[in-house]
Amino acid sequence: MCRRDEAGLFFAPSKEPTAARLSREEAAKRVCARCPVMVECREHALLQPEPYGVWGGLTAAERRVVLARRRRRDMELKKAARPANQIAAAG
Ligand code: SF4
């Protein structure tokens, strides 16, 4: 589907007006929503991370938000685990 991207949905042309970008991204997301590999595609894009385009149903800005949330969650989990580790180490 997105491999050929004949409609130019997944990547922004230069100097794209905001309204056109939002409309194009929503159209790309609709394609992704029907894609059988959306979950895997999204994780791949988050691991790279892909700085441009719609991947796995997320825009680049949305992927940055997901990544920031994951980093914050990981830091909170590490913080929460620290006292337990210290207690275990003390025996
Ligand atoms: S989920 Fe990924 S592979 Fe599927 S259409 Fe969207 S960008 Fe393409």
Side-chain angles (χ1 to χ4, degrees):
M1 288 179 257
C2 61
R3 258 180 108 176
R4 285 175 273 149
D5 194 17
E6 286 147 355
L9 295 177
F10 290 84
F11 290 97
S14 63
K15 298 180 182 174
E16 183 179 39
T18 301
R21 176 179 55 80
L22 294 174
S23 173
R24 177 185 52 73
E25 288 174 344
E26 287 307 313
K29 288 178 179 185
R30 285 194 293 276
V31 174
C32 292
R34 296 189 308 268
C35 179
V37 297
M38 188 181 84
V39 172
E40 293 86 350
C41 178
R42 178 176 294 182
E43 286 307 311
H44 173 78
L46 290 168
L47 288 173
Q48 292 307 308
E50 296 287 347
Y52 303 106
V54 172
W55 291 96
L58 297 175
T59 65
E62 290 167 338
R63 292 193 300 275
R64 285 193 293 275
V65 169
V66 170
L67 287 171
R69 282 188 189 143
R70 284 185 180 183
R71 277 193 297 273
R72 206 166 33 245
R73 182 201 60 201
D74 290 349
M75 284 174 51
E76 287 168 7
L77 287 173
K78 278 181 191 168
K79 256 192 223 170
R82 212 173 288 146
N85 289 347
Q86 289 169 356
I87 290 167

